[in-house]
Amino acid sequence: MIERRPFNSLGGANHGWLDAKHHFSFASYHDAARMGWGALRVWNDDTIAANTGFPPHPHSDMEIITYVREGAITHQDNLGNKGRTEAGDVQVMSAGTGIQHAEYNLEPVTTRIFQIWIIPDARGGAPTWGSKPFPRGDRSGRFVTLASGMPGDDDALPIRANARVLGLNLVAGETAEYDFGGSRFGYLVPAKGTIEVNGERIEARDGAAIRNEGTITVKAIDDAEVVLVDTAP
């Protein structure tokens, strides 16, 4: 089953400095049919104006993955962590027992991110933060694991969930496959480009909710940049 969720059907709010689109219920947007997908709880498509951002705010018991599509995001938290994550790269925060952080676009240009929240396998644990570059060229024609709590994904940023976040770049006409290896949930969004997923056409920034598909084949209609989350039910 592959359910296309068109970009224009998403919830959201425009705060001026922040234009946020929500694939799942979040903040003032509530849709009982879109409360999550497997352990995936939030997928926000955020456009952040230059020299603005999220002031300090708390999180707990959530794995928060930020995929930077354009521009850069600068993180600072109450543990003393600080870092700048550029387009194509990823940061991960395991909120655990509690962390307070701020995220700012300190760039002179607009920043666009996907922020993905995954429910951890267990509550608690010491909060952590990390960031890592993932050259887009390494994802050319193949899925690369960016963040994961699954065995064997040693090159990915660690998260505390039976899940992985993957990236893929394709040029028009190319295909790539991903094997879910069992009864799992997938959620896929093209950051740019039009693709087909097992024949289902998915436009840029649409969501594709995937279930009971052992393997997916992604075909690029245009040059495409794709992010996929694979979680346990």
Side-chain angles (χ1 to χ4, degrees):
M1 186 278 291
I2 299 173
E3 177 194 346
R4 176 181 172 235
R5 297 183 175 180
F7 179 73
N8 62 11
S9 76
L10 303 182
N14 192 329
H15 303 281
W17 66 274
L18 169 67
D19 186 4
K21 299 295 184 182
H22 309 313
H23 285 261
F24 303 99
S25 294
F26 185 83
S28 60
Y29 166 62
H30 179 78
D31 182 341
R34 295 187 180 181
M35 293 302 296
W37 193 249
L40 174 62
R41 177 60 188 85
V42 168
W43 190 311
N44 289 344
D45 181 327
D46 290 341
T47 300
I48 308 166
N51 298 304
T52 66
F54 302 91
H57 57 281
H59 293 281
S60 62
D61 292 318
M62 194 65 67
E63 305 301 296
I64 300 175
I65 301 98
T66 303
Y67 179 94
V68 183
R69 296 160 47 212
E70 297 177 27
I73 201 80
T74 297
H75 164 101
Q76 188 168 359
D77 62 44
N78 63 337
L79 302 179
N81 297 308
K82 186 173 182 179
R84 178 177 175 274
T85 305
E86 299 181 347
D89 298 340
V90 178
Q91 68 173 16
V92 165
M93 187 170 70
S94 292
T97 54
I99 189 170
Q100 187 167 10
H101 80 135
E103 289 178 297
Y104 293 111
N105 173 16
L106 301 180
E107 312 303 312
V109 297
T110 299
T111 286
R112 293 180 171 85
I113 65 172
F114 289 149
Q115 190 164 94
I116 296 162
W117 296 14
I118 298 173
I119 299 168
D121 291 345
R123 296 172 62 88
T128 63
W129 174 85
S131 179
K132 185 174 179 178
F134 289 93
R136 283 181 163 127
D138 292 352
R139 291 173 258 160
S140 179
R142 68 187 186 102
F143 281 100
V144 168
T145 304
L146 310 174
S148 177
M150 299 174 67
D153 290 340
D154 299 331
D155 292 334
L157 286 161
I159 57 175
R160 301 168 184 169
N162 181 8
R164 59 167 64 105
V165 180
L166 306 107
L168 165 70
N169 283 11
L170 294 173
V171 299
E174 275 191 324
T175 62
E177 290 190 350
Y178 181 75
D179 182 6
F180 285 97
S183 179
R184 295 179 64 83
F185 285 71
Y187 199 86
L188 180 151
V189 181
K192 65 178 183 180
T194 299
I195 62 173
E196 290 181 351
V197 182
N198 287 4
E200 180 75 25
R201 187 179 178 94
I202 309 295
E203 306 285 347
R205 300 169 77 188
D206 289 352
I210 303 163
R211 190 176 181 187
N212 298 325
E213 300 277 342
T215 301
I216 58 169
T217 299
V218 179
K219 179 180 179 180
I221 307 303
D222 312 310
D223 291 357
E225 180 178 352
V226 176
V227 180
L228 170 66
V229 171
D230 169 2
T231 80

